[in-house]
Amino acid sequence: MESRYLRKFLGSCLCQALADVVKFQPVDPIEYLAFWLYKYKDNMVAEELRQMELAQLHREQEIARMEQEMLEHLKEEELLFQQQQLELELQEKERQRLEELEKQQLEMEMLERERLALEEQLQKSEAQEEQSGEEEEQVEIPVEGVTLNDEKEGKEQ
């Protein structure tokens, strides 16, 4: 059991430390080994922190990517909404323009009808005036046995 424990927690670290002791052959190998183990532990803690920071960075990048996608989606929706609003405004303007044209056409038709009615009335009144003028010439008004025509003839003589 003890050998498993040592292999599990000190196996690779102790092998590397002893290899460095053999390689550099320091004057005080025990002190060198002690500092090497402390440094190894500091390096392991720093590596764990680096791994945690890297994992945190990946999470933050993923969140940022998702936020970016959401912003792009919102921009697309906003553009679509603006386009729809613009289309609605254009349709409303077109509808108003068509209504205005219809009003103008109705006004023109009414004016044309009024003009035609006035022309008809004018023609009727002219026709009536002509008829009444002809009737006046033909109408004889008797005045004590003398007609208007007789008076005209008498004056002429």
Side-chain angles (χ1 to χ4, degrees):
M1 279 201 172
E2 294 166 0
S3 64
R4 273 190 249 152
Y5 173 80
L6 288 174
R7 274 190 223 138
K8 181 177 178 183
F9 292 103
L10 296 174
S12 65
C13 150
L14 197 52
C15 287
Q16 290 174 4
L18 292 174
D20 272 358
V21 168
V22 171
K23 180 179 176 183
F24 295 111
Q25 296 180 1
V27 176
D28 189 359
I30 295 174
E31 186 179 4
Y32 181 84
L33 186 60
F35 282 120
W36 194 96
L37 290 173
Y38 281 123
K39 181 66 175 162
Y40 180 83
K41 183 172 188 232
D42 289 342
N43 289 344
M44 293 306 289
V45 169
E47 180 63 23
E48 285 177 14
L49 284 175
R50 191 181 74 73
Q51 290 296 330
M52 287 177 20
E53 288 173 354
L54 189 59
Q56 179 67 23
L57 178 64
H58 286 303
R59 284 191 297 272
E60 289 173 1
Q61 286 175 342
E62 184 65 23
I63 290 170
R65 185 188 59 78
M66 290 171 58
E67 287 176 353
Q68 184 66 28
E69 288 176 358
M70 189 178 290
L71 283 174
E72 289 174 2
H73 182 70
L74 288 174
K75 285 180 182 178
E76 288 173 3
E77 284 182 356
E78 184 178 347
L79 284 174
L80 181 62
F81 180 74
Q82 288 175 353
Q83 287 175 348
Q84 289 173 346
Q85 288 295 99
L86 185 59
E87 287 176 9
L88 287 174
E89 288 174 7
L90 290 173
Q91 288 174 355
E92 181 64 22
K93 286 180 182 179
E94 182 66 20
R95 186 188 61 78
Q96 289 175 352
R97 186 183 68 81
L98 290 174
E99 285 178 359
E100 191 65 32
L101 283 174
E102 287 177 9
K103 284 181 184 178
Q104 288 176 355
Q105 285 177 344
L106 288 174
E107 289 175 5
M108 294 296 284
E109 288 175 5
M110 288 175 58
L111 288 174
E112 184 64 23
R113 287 180 192 154
E114 288 176 8
R115 186 184 64 78
L116 290 174
L118 287 174
E119 284 179 3
E120 285 179 16
Q121 286 178 353
L122 185 60
Q123 288 174 354
K124 284 180 183 178
S125 64
E126 287 176 356
Q128 286 176 353
E129 286 177 8
E130 287 177 10
Q131 284 180 353
S132 67
E134 290 175 3
E135 287 176 5
E136 284 179 9
E137 290 177 10
Q138 293 177 358
V139 172
E140 295 180 12
I141 302 174
V143 178
E144 296 178 21
V146 180
T147 62
L148 188 58
N149 287 335
D150 293 339
E151 286 182 13
K152 286 183 184 178
E153 290 175 10
K155 287 183 183 178
E156 291 176 5
Q157 293 176 355

